[in-house]
Amino acid sequence: MEEKKVMLSGIQPSGDLHLGNYLGPLRHWPEMIEEFDCYFFLADLHTITVRQDPAQLRRRVLTQVAQYIACGLDPEKCTLFIQSHVPAHAQLGWVLDCYTMFGELSRMTQFKDKAAKQKENINAGLFTYPALMAADILLYQPDFVPVGEDQKQHVEICRDIAERFNGIYGEVFKIPAPHIPKVGARIMSLNDPSSKMSKSNLEGCVTLMDKPEDILRKFKRAVTDSDTERCVRFAPQEKPGVSNLIQIYAAVTGKSFEEIEEAFAGKGYGAFKPAVGEAVVETLRPIREETERLLADKAYLEGVYKAGAERASRVAEKTLRKVYKKVGFVPRG
Ligand code: TYM
Protein backbone atom coordinates (compact mmCIF):
# COMPACT_ATOMS: atom_id res chain seq x y z
CA MET A 1 0.00 0.00 0.00
CA GLU A 2 1.24 3.46 -0.87
CA GLU A 3 2.17 5.53 2.18
CA LYS A 4 0.03 8.56 2.96
CA LYS A 5 1.56 11.95 2.31
CA VAL A 6 2.37 13.94 5.44
CA MET A 7 1.19 17.46 6.24
CA LEU A 8 1.82 19.72 9.18
CA SER A 9 0.74 23.13 10.37
CA GLY A 10 0.53 25.22 13.52
CA ILE A 11 -0.86 28.43 14.95
CA GLN A 12 0.57 30.53 17.77
CA PRO A 13 -1.67 30.85 20.83
CA SER A 14 -0.51 34.46 21.12
CA GLY A 15 -4.07 35.80 21.01
CA ASP A 16 -7.55 34.42 20.47
CA LEU A 17 -7.94 32.62 17.14
CA HIS A 18 -9.45 34.95 14.57
CA LEU A 19 -11.23 34.82 11.25
CA GLY A 20 -7.93 35.17 9.33
CA ASN A 21 -6.52 32.08 11.06
CA TYR A 22 -9.76 30.24 10.38
CA LEU A 23 -10.37 31.22 6.75
CA GLY A 24 -6.69 31.06 5.78
CA PRO A 25 -5.41 27.68 7.00
CA LEU A 26 -7.61 26.22 9.76
CA ARG A 27 -10.88 25.55 7.92
CA HIS A 28 -9.00 23.47 5.33
CA TRP A 29 -7.32 21.21 7.86
CA PRO A 30 -10.28 18.89 8.59
CA GLU A 31 -10.63 18.16 4.84
CA MET A 32 -7.08 16.87 4.89
CA ILE A 33 -7.17 14.39 7.73
CA GLU A 34 -8.77 11.56 5.77
CA GLU A 35 -6.25 11.76 2.97
CA PHE A 36 -3.00 12.65 4.72
CA ASP A 37 -1.02 11.81 7.82
CA CYS A 38 -1.61 15.12 9.63
CA TYR A 39 0.21 16.93 12.45
CA PHE A 40 -1.43 20.01 13.96
CA PHE A 41 0.21 21.81 16.82
CA LEU A 42 -0.02 24.91 18.99
CA ALA A 43 3.15 26.94 18.56
CA ASP A 44 3.46 28.06 22.19
CA LEU A 45 7.27 28.30 22.17
CA HIS A 46 6.97 30.98 19.51
CA THR A 47 4.64 33.15 21.58
CA ILE A 48 7.28 34.22 24.11
CA THR A 49 9.17 36.26 21.51
CA VAL A 50 6.57 38.80 22.70
CA ARG A 51 5.91 39.19 26.46
CA GLN A 52 2.95 37.06 27.53
CA ASP A 53 0.88 37.04 30.67
CA PRO A 54 1.44 33.44 31.96
CA ALA A 55 -2.14 32.85 33.16
CA GLN A 56 -3.59 34.17 29.90
CA LEU A 57 -1.21 32.08 27.84
CA ARG A 58 -2.29 28.92 29.68
CA ARG A 59 -5.96 29.81 29.15
CA ARG A 60 -5.44 30.50 25.46
CA VAL A 61 -3.57 27.24 24.89
CA LEU A 62 -6.40 25.19 26.39
CA THR A 63 -8.99 27.17 24.44
CA GLN A 64 -7.05 26.65 21.23
CA VAL A 65 -6.83 22.88 21.79
CA ALA A 66 -10.62 22.87 22.20
CA GLN A 67 -11.03 25.07 19.11
CA TYR A 68 -8.92 22.78 16.94
CA ILE A 69 -11.23 19.90 17.87
CA ALA A 70 -14.37 22.06 17.52
CA CYS A 71 -13.26 23.06 14.00
CA GLY A 72 -13.29 19.40 13.03
CA LEU A 73 -9.85 18.03 13.87
CA ASP A 74 -10.72 14.58 15.18
CA PRO A 75 -7.86 13.72 17.55
CA GLU A 76 -8.29 10.03 16.74
CA LYS A 77 -7.47 10.73 13.10
CA CYS A 78 -4.61 13.20 13.38
CA THR A 79 -1.79 14.11 15.76
CA LEU A 80 -2.74 17.18 17.76
CA PHE A 81 -0.15 18.47 20.21
CA ILE A 82 1.41 21.39 22.04
CA GLN A 83 4.87 22.37 20.78
CA SER A 84 6.49 22.77 24.23
CA HIS A 85 5.49 19.17 25.09
CA VAL A 86 7.87 17.85 22.44
CA PRO A 87 11.41 18.92 23.43
CA ALA A 88 12.81 17.91 20.02
CA HIS A 89 11.47 21.21 18.60
CA ALA A 90 13.78 23.30 20.77
CA GLN A 91 16.63 20.81 20.29
CA LEU A 92 16.48 20.78 16.50
CA GLY A 93 15.81 24.53 16.59
CA TRP A 94 19.26 25.05 18.12
CA VAL A 95 20.98 22.86 15.54
CA LEU A 96 19.24 24.70 12.70
CA ASP A 97 20.20 28.08 14.22
CA CYS A 98 23.73 27.06 13.34
CA TYR A 99 22.80 26.41 9.71
CA THR A 100 20.81 29.61 9.22
CA MET A 101 22.54 32.78 8.12
CA PHE A 102 22.33 36.17 9.80
CA GLY A 103 21.73 37.77 6.39
CA GLU A 104 18.77 35.60 5.47
CA LEU A 105 17.13 36.12 8.87
CA SER A 106 17.60 39.88 8.48
CA ARG A 107 15.54 39.78 5.28
CA MET A 108 12.43 38.28 6.92
CA THR A 109 9.58 40.76 6.57
CA GLN A 110 7.85 39.53 9.72
CA PHE A 111 11.02 40.16 11.76
CA LYS A 112 11.29 43.68 10.35
CA ASP A 113 7.61 44.40 11.08
CA LYS A 114 7.68 43.01 14.60
CA ALA A 115 11.01 44.64 15.45
CA ALA A 116 9.57 47.99 14.36
CA LYS A 117 6.55 47.43 16.63
CA GLN A 118 8.43 46.32 19.76
CA LYS A 119 11.62 48.39 19.73
CA GLU A 120 12.09 47.87 23.48
CA ASN A 121 12.17 44.05 23.11
CA ILE A 122 13.93 43.00 19.91
CA ASN A 123 15.10 39.74 21.45
CA ALA A 124 17.23 37.02 19.87
CA GLY A 125 14.23 34.66 19.73
CA LEU A 126 12.33 37.09 17.54
CA PHE A 127 15.27 37.09 15.15
CA THR A 128 15.93 33.32 15.04
CA TYR A 129 12.22 32.42 15.04
CA PRO A 130 12.31 31.08 11.42
CA ALA A 131 14.94 28.47 12.40
CA LEU A 132 12.63 27.18 15.16
CA MET A 133 9.75 27.16 12.69
CA ALA A 134 11.95 25.18 10.27
CA ALA A 135 12.58 22.67 13.08
CA ASP A 136 8.81 22.44 13.76
CA ILE A 137 8.32 21.45 10.16
CA LEU A 138 11.35 19.32 9.33
CA LEU A 139 11.04 17.04 12.38
CA TYR A 140 7.94 15.45 10.80
CA GLN A 141 9.24 15.23 7.20
CA PRO A 142 5.99 16.68 5.76
CA ASP A 143 5.26 16.90 2.05
CA PHE A 144 3.44 20.19 2.48
CA VAL A 145 2.61 22.91 4.98
CA PRO A 146 -0.73 24.76 4.62
CA VAL A 147 -0.41 28.39 5.76
CA GLY A 148 -1.75 31.85 4.96
CA GLU A 149 0.13 34.17 2.62
CA ASP A 150 2.08 35.89 5.44
CA GLN A 151 3.89 32.67 6.42
CA LYS A 152 5.04 31.76 2.91
CA GLN A 153 8.43 33.41 3.38
CA HIS A 154 9.03 31.34 6.53
CA VAL A 155 8.24 28.09 4.71
CA GLU A 156 10.61 29.18 1.94
CA ILE A 157 13.49 29.80 4.35
CA CYS A 158 12.73 26.41 5.88
CA ARG A 159 13.27 24.86 2.45
CA ASP A 160 16.56 26.75 2.05
CA ILE A 161 17.79 25.58 5.47
CA ALA A 162 16.80 21.97 4.72
CA GLU A 163 18.54 22.07 1.33
CA ARG A 164 21.67 23.52 2.89
CA PHE A 165 21.72 20.80 5.56
CA ASN A 166 21.05 18.04 3.01
CA GLY A 167 23.78 19.50 0.81
CA ILE A 168 26.31 18.88 3.60
CA TYR A 169 25.05 15.63 5.13
CA GLY A 170 22.98 13.85 2.47
CA GLU A 171 19.21 13.40 2.30
CA VAL A 172 18.21 13.99 5.93
CA PHE A 173 15.15 16.19 5.42
CA LYS A 174 12.28 16.01 2.99
CA ILE A 175 11.84 19.42 1.31
CA PRO A 176 8.30 20.63 2.15
CA ALA A 177 6.09 22.78 -0.08
CA PRO A 178 3.96 25.66 1.19
CA HIS A 179 0.26 25.25 0.49
CA ILE A 180 -1.64 28.56 0.22
CA PRO A 181 -5.44 28.56 -0.24
CA LYS A 182 -6.90 30.36 -3.27
CA VAL A 183 -9.55 32.22 -1.26
CA GLY A 184 -8.90 33.54 2.25
CA ALA A 185 -5.08 33.47 2.24
CA ARG A 186 -4.94 37.10 3.33
CA ILE A 187 -7.96 38.39 5.24
CA MET A 188 -7.64 42.09 5.96
CA SER A 189 -8.60 44.05 9.04
CA LEU A 190 -12.26 45.19 9.01
CA ASN A 191 -11.46 48.72 10.14
CA ASP A 192 -8.24 49.09 8.16
CA PRO A 193 -8.26 47.07 4.92
CA SER A 194 -4.67 48.06 4.20
CA SER A 195 -3.35 45.80 6.98
CA LYS A 196 -3.99 42.12 7.55
CA MET A 197 -6.45 40.99 10.20
CA SER A 198 -4.46 40.34 13.35
CA LYS A 199 -4.79 39.97 17.08
CA SER A 200 -3.21 43.36 17.65
CA ASN A 201 -6.20 45.37 16.30
CA LEU A 202 -9.29 44.02 18.08
CA GLU A 203 -11.99 46.19 16.45
CA GLY A 204 -10.85 45.09 13.00
CA CYS A 205 -10.55 41.49 14.07
CA VAL A 206 -13.31 38.91 14.56
CA THR A 207 -12.32 36.12 16.94
CA LEU A 208 -13.84 32.65 16.91
CA MET A 209 -15.21 33.26 20.42
CA ASP A 210 -16.76 36.68 19.72
CA LYS A 211 -20.45 36.98 20.59
CA PRO A 212 -22.86 37.29 17.61
CA GLU A 213 -23.75 40.89 18.50
CA ASP A 214 -20.06 41.87 18.53
CA ILE A 215 -19.47 40.19 15.18
CA LEU A 216 -22.46 41.96 13.63
CA ARG A 217 -21.30 45.31 15.03
CA LYS A 218 -17.78 44.87 13.64
CA PHE A 219 -19.15 44.04 10.18
CA LYS A 220 -21.65 46.91 10.22
CA ARG A 221 -18.80 49.29 11.02
CA ALA A 222 -16.41 47.70 8.52
CA VAL A 223 -14.58 50.31 6.48
CA THR A 224 -15.75 50.21 2.89
CA ASP A 225 -14.43 52.38 0.15
CA SER A 226 -14.91 56.01 -0.66
CA ASP A 227 -15.52 55.35 -4.37
CA THR A 228 -18.62 56.89 -5.92
CA GLU A 229 -19.83 53.66 -7.50
CA ARG A 230 -20.73 52.06 -4.12
CA CYS A 231 -21.47 48.70 -5.67
CA VAL A 232 -20.38 45.26 -4.51
CA ARG A 233 -17.58 44.46 -6.94
CA PHE A 234 -14.33 42.54 -6.39
CA ALA A 235 -11.45 44.90 -7.18
CA PRO A 236 -8.76 44.63 -4.48
CA GLN A 237 -6.67 47.60 -5.70
CA GLU A 238 -9.50 50.09 -6.16
CA LYS A 239 -11.87 48.76 -3.50
CA PRO A 240 -9.84 46.96 -0.80
CA GLY A 241 -12.55 47.19 1.89
CA VAL A 242 -15.43 45.72 -0.05
CA SER A 243 -13.15 43.18 -1.77
CA ASN A 244 -12.08 41.92 1.64
CA LEU A 245 -15.74 41.50 2.61
CA ILE A 246 -16.44 39.66 -0.65
CA GLN A 247 -13.54 37.35 0.07
CA ILE A 248 -14.86 36.62 3.56
CA TYR A 249 -18.39 36.04 2.27
CA ALA A 250 -17.11 33.75 -0.50
CA ALA A 251 -15.06 31.74 1.99
CA VAL A 252 -17.92 31.20 4.44
CA THR A 253 -20.70 30.58 1.91
CA GLY A 254 -18.73 28.77 -0.81
CA LYS A 255 -20.14 31.20 -3.41
CA SER A 256 -17.98 32.57 -6.24
CA PHE A 257 -17.14 36.27 -6.47
CA GLU A 258 -19.40 36.56 -9.57
CA GLU A 259 -22.37 34.98 -7.77
CA ILE A 260 -21.94 37.42 -4.90
CA GLU A 261 -21.67 40.44 -7.21
CA GLU A 262 -24.86 39.34 -8.97
CA ALA A 263 -26.80 38.69 -5.77
CA PHE A 264 -25.98 42.17 -4.42
CA ALA A 265 -26.19 44.09 -7.70
CA GLY A 266 -27.88 47.45 -7.09
CA LYS A 267 -28.10 46.87 -3.32
CA GLY A 268 -25.06 48.85 -2.14
CA TYR A 269 -22.88 48.37 0.92
CA GLY A 270 -25.71 48.92 3.43
CA ALA A 271 -27.27 45.56 2.60
CA PHE A 272 -24.01 43.71 2.00
CA LYS A 273 -22.20 44.37 5.29
CA PRO A 274 -24.87 42.86 7.61
CA ALA A 275 -25.26 39.90 5.23
CA VAL A 276 -21.55 39.12 5.56
CA GLY A 277 -21.80 39.55 9.34
CA GLU A 278 -24.71 37.13 9.58
CA ALA A 279 -23.01 34.52 7.40
CA VAL A 280 -19.93 34.73 9.64
CA VAL A 281 -22.04 34.45 12.81
CA GLU A 282 -23.68 31.28 11.48
CA THR A 283 -20.32 29.77 10.48
CA LEU A 284 -18.74 30.47 13.86
CA ARG A 285 -21.72 29.64 16.08
CA PRO A 286 -21.28 25.82 16.14
CA ILE A 287 -17.52 26.21 16.62
CA ARG A 288 -17.98 28.53 19.60
CA GLU A 289 -20.62 26.31 21.19
CA GLU A 290 -18.57 23.16 20.74
CA THR A 291 -15.46 24.90 22.11
CA GLU A 292 -17.38 25.92 25.23
CA ARG A 293 -18.64 22.38 25.69
CA LEU A 294 -15.14 20.92 25.33
CA LEU A 295 -13.60 23.48 27.69
CA ALA A 296 -15.84 22.16 30.44
CA ASP A 297 -14.11 18.77 30.10
CA LYS A 298 -10.49 19.50 31.00
CA ALA A 299 -9.70 15.80 31.56
CA TYR A 300 -10.67 14.99 27.98
CA LEU A 301 -8.54 17.84 26.60
CA GLU A 302 -5.58 16.71 28.69
CA GLY A 303 -5.98 13.17 27.34
CA VAL A 304 -5.93 14.54 23.78
CA TYR A 305 -2.78 16.64 24.08
CA LYS A 306 -0.93 14.01 26.12
CA ALA A 307 -1.58 11.29 23.53
CA GLY A 308 -0.72 13.76 20.77
CA ALA A 309 2.62 14.67 22.39
CA GLU A 310 3.53 11.00 22.73
CA ARG A 311 2.80 10.27 19.08
CA ALA A 312 4.54 13.42 17.89
CA SER A 313 7.61 12.74 20.08
CA ARG A 314 8.17 9.32 18.55
CA VAL A 315 8.36 10.77 15.05
CA ALA A 316 10.26 13.91 16.05
CA GLU A 317 12.89 12.03 18.06
CA LYS A 318 13.63 9.74 15.16
CA THR A 319 14.51 12.75 12.97
CA LEU A 320 16.45 14.40 15.80
CA ARG A 321 18.56 11.24 16.37
CA LYS A 322 19.39 11.15 12.68
CA VAL A 323 20.43 14.82 12.73
CA TYR A 324 22.56 14.42 15.89
CA LYS A 325 24.32 11.46 14.32
CA LYS A 326 24.99 13.34 11.09
CA VAL A 327 26.54 16.35 12.81
CA GLY A 328 28.76 14.07 14.94
CA PHE A 329 27.25 14.08 18.45
CA VAL A 330 28.06 10.95 20.48
CA PRO A 331 24.86 8.94 21.12
CA ARG A 332 23.97 8.59 24.83
CA GLY A 333 23.65 4.83 24.29
P1 TYM B 1 0.25 32.71 13.10
O1 TYM B 1 -0.02 32.13 14.43
O2 TYM B 1 0.57 34.17 13.01
O3 TYM B 1 -0.93 32.41 12.12
C1 TYM B 1 -1.43 31.10 11.99
C2 TYM B 1 -1.90 30.85 10.59
O4 TYM B 1 -2.92 31.79 10.21
C3 TYM B 1 -2.54 32.47 9.01
N1 TYM B 1 -3.03 33.84 9.10
C4 TYM B 1 -3.85 34.39 8.19
N2 TYM B 1 -4.41 33.90 7.07
C5 TYM B 1 -5.22 34.74 6.36
N3 TYM B 1 -5.47 36.01 6.73
C6 TYM B 1 -4.93 36.55 7.85
N4 TYM B 1 -5.20 37.80 8.21
C7 TYM B 1 -4.08 35.72 8.64
N5 TYM B 1 -3.39 35.92 9.79
C8 TYM B 1 -2.76 34.75 10.06
C9 TYM B 1 -1.02 32.39 8.99
O5 TYM B 1 -0.52 32.52 7.68
C10 TYM B 1 -0.77 31.01 9.56
O6 TYM B 1 -0.91 30.02 8.56
N6 TYM B 1 4.92 31.13 12.54
C11 TYM B 1 3.54 30.73 12.45
C12 TYM B 1 3.18 29.55 13.34
C13 TYM B 1 4.07 28.38 13.12
C14 TYM B 1 3.97 27.45 12.05
C15 TYM B 1 5.02 26.50 12.26
C16 TYM B 1 3.09 27.30 10.96
C17 TYM B 1 5.12 28.03 13.90
N7 TYM B 1 5.71 26.89 13.39
C18 TYM B 1 5.22 25.45 11.38
C19 TYM B 1 3.31 26.24 10.07
C20 TYM B 1 4.36 25.32 10.30
C21 TYM B 1 2.69 31.92 12.86
O7 TYM B 1 3.12 32.76 13.59
O8 TYM B 1 1.42 31.88 12.39
Side-chain angles (χ1 to χ4, degrees):
M1 203 177 76
E2 209 185 302
E3 279 206 7
K4 278 185 173 178
K5 286 203 161 69
V6 178
M7 66 133 292
L8 165 137
S9 200
I11 301 179
Q12 284 195 59
S14 51
D16 294 326
L17 283 184
H18 59 72
L19 201 56
N21 301 135
Y22 180 69
L23 297 182
L26 183 50
R27 81 188 159 111
H28 298 288
W29 294 354
E31 301 158 8
M32 297 172 176
I33 54 183
E34 298 295 339
E35 201 177 337
F36 305 108
D37 184 9
C38 293
Y39 295 84
F40 299 112
F41 70 101
L42 290 88
D44 60 342
L45 293 177
H46 286 272
T47 65
I48 60 165
T49 54
V50 175
R51 289 280 173 270
Q52 299 290 332
D53 175 277
Q56 270 190 27
L57 179 59
R58 266 189 293 275
R59 175 192 64 76
R60 281 200 304 262
V61 167
L62 268 195
T63 307
Q64 195 170 308
V65 172
Q67 284 174 320
Y68 274 13
I69 303 169
C71 285
L73 300 182
D74 178 347
E76 300 291 322
K77 295 187 178 162
C78 62
T79 304
L80 198 164
F81 65 99
I82 298 171
Q83 184 188 27
S84 64
H85 291 178
V86 182
H89 287 248
Q91 292 169 303
L92 182 63
W94 167 251
V95 174
L96 296 185
D97 273 347
C98 304
Y99 294 82
T100 307
M101 298 302 135
F102 184 89
E104 58 190 347
L105 289 174
S106 312
R107 287 192 290 276
M108 294 293 110
T109 46
Q110 194 170 71
F111 170 69
K112 289 192 256 182
D113 289 351
K114 287 204 171 167
K117 275 192 203 141
Q118 54 181 79
K119 287 208 173 66
E120 70 302 335
N121 183 20
I122 307 178
N123 57 70
L126 193 66
F127 188 64
T128 62
Y129 177 118
L132 178 60
M133 178 158 162
D136 299 337
I137 297 171
L138 298 174
L139 280 171
Y140 301 91
Q141 310 278 11
D143 293 277
F144 63 94
V145 181
V147 284
E149 188 65 47
D150 65 333
Q151 291 297 323
K152 193 168 167 223
Q153 196 183 32
H154 288 160
V155 181
E156 277 161 2
I157 191 177
C158 166
R159 289 164 61 91
D160 294 341
I161 298 168
E163 274 164 6
R164 180 172 304 134
F165 197 92
N166 286 354
I168 305 171
Y169 300 106
E171 293 303 299
V172 178
F173 298 124
K174 188 179 271 178
I175 308 298
H179 187 272
I180 317 275
K182 287 197 182 70
V183 178
R186 194 169 166 79
I187 300 295
M188 309 309 277
S189 164
L190 297 185
N191 63 357
D192 172 15
S194 67
S195 61
K196 70 170 187 189
M197 184 177 285
S198 87
K199 303 146 195 178
S200 55
N201 168 3
L202 276 184
E203 258 315 288
C205 174
V206 169
T207 79
L208 301 200
M209 300 307 275
D210 272 353
K211 294 195 199 79
E213 58 270 29
D214 293 330
I215 299 178
L216 291 174
R217 187 194 68 246
K218 288 178 188 176
F219 276 98
K220 276 195 191 128
R221 288 197 196 150
V223 170
T224 37
D225 311 290
S226 52
D227 58 322
T228 45
E229 172 185 85
R230 302 204 63 78
C231 81
V232 176
R233 183 166 64 82
F234 189 76
Q237 299 298 329
E238 280 163 67
K239 296 155 75 89
V242 82
S243 300
N244 187 41
L245 295 179
I246 294 178
Q247 191 167 183
I248 293 172
Y249 195 64
V252 295
T253 60
K255 294 194 169 118
S256 69
F257 295 169
E258 294 74 30
E259 282 170 324
I260 297 168
E261 287 172 353
E262 247 172 59
F264 288 90
K267 290 195 183 144
Y269 301 156
F272 185 51
K273 292 201 281 188
V276 184
E278 270 151 33
V280 169
V281 165
E282 289 321 313
T283 302
L284 298 187
R285 188 191 302 282
I287 299 174
R288 192 189 68 244
E289 288 173 357
E290 181 63 1
T291 302
E292 279 163 359
R293 197 186 66 75
L294 288 163
L295 276 174
D297 192 351
K298 300 276 186 305
Y300 169 73
L301 294 178
E302 190 181 315
V304 167
Y305 61 69
K306 256 185 162 167
E310 273 161 31
R311 267 207 306 272
S313 293
R314 276 196 293 278
V315 179
E317 275 164 22
K318 195 168 155 210
T319 306
L320 185 70
R321 274 197 301 278
K322 200 164 162 189
V323 169
Y324 273 15
K325 191 169 168 203
K326 290 284 185 187
V327 298
F329 295 159
V330 174
R332 193 171 62 179

